Amino acid sequence: MSSSDIFIGETIGTAILILLGGGVCAAVTLKASKARNAGWLAITFGWGFAVLTAVYTSAPLSGAHLNPAVTLALALKKNGIPWSDVPIYWGGQLLGAMIGAALVWVAYYGQFHAHLTDKDIVGEPAAKGAKAKAKSVEAREAGAGPVLGIFSTGPEIRNAVQNVATEVIGTIVLVLAVLTQGLNDDNKGLGTLGALITALVVVAIGLSLGGPTGYAINPARDLGPRIVHALLSLPNKGGSDWSYAWVPVVGPLLGAAIAAGIYNVAFA
């Protein structure tokens, strides 16, 4: 695989991953969406099918890592990918995640506007002349606005140690499944059967371990869309919760390193 193949494949694949994954979150969250309140099962299976589609699309070009944690694990794995390829994979993944998030905004443009201008969602402004902050989303949701969950993850209970641990554990499960069952013949990316296995593992992680933090298990999946949320001109969108943003980056990378170590000792 050439550097251009890697970058293009990861950009396209990660864009599809976030378009479909973020899309199911938007469908379930936003008012005026036909799938509103479809629930956690819809989200977990939506993300699983998003992984499946993205991997099958990009695997011929880049091996379909689509996740900086997977790339790190494959670099740490015995006889893995060259370290010189890691920045190329990561660059494509971050760019693709941002493109995918922007496409979710385009696809649900009207729903975003309807949701964020609905008084049931954003509240009423304070009375004229009042010194108190307006009872808008900016006042009530200083950390994370009401649509941030469409773009990025967030904890149900904000405890940094637990939140990092949850992301570490989920990523270990994902990466071990990829390393032991998901790789193609040259062990540099996901194979045809590996795509299906990985998609089902992502569903399993979402159902079993997704409750505490929303299971980022992928730094690009969280950071790229969070950047897009911060840049988009959305009415009453609230904050992008940058105080939490390090958790879904550090946790998955740490989990990937641990999983690669386990693989090298126990399986290689």
Side-chain angles (χ1 to χ4, degrees), residues 171-183 190 194 197-198 201 259:
T171 308
I172 289 173
V173 173
L174 171 65
V175 171
L176 280 178
V178 169
L179 294 180
T180 57
Q181 303 293 329
L183 297 181
L190 287 170
I197 293 171
T198 302
V201 170

Side-chain angles (χ1 to χ4, degrees), residues 19 102-111:
L19 171 60
L103 291 175
V104 172
W105 169 69
V106 172
Y108 282 89
Y109 180 84
Q111 281 75 20

Side-chain angles (χ1 to χ4, degrees), residues 210-238:
T213 62
Y215 72 116
I217 57 175
N218 181 339
R221 170 264 176 276
D222 194 276
L223 181 58
R226 195 182 299 268
I227 292 171
V228 171
H229 177 271
L231 294 175
L232 284 176
S233 179
L234 292 169
N236 302 316
K237 69 177 180 179

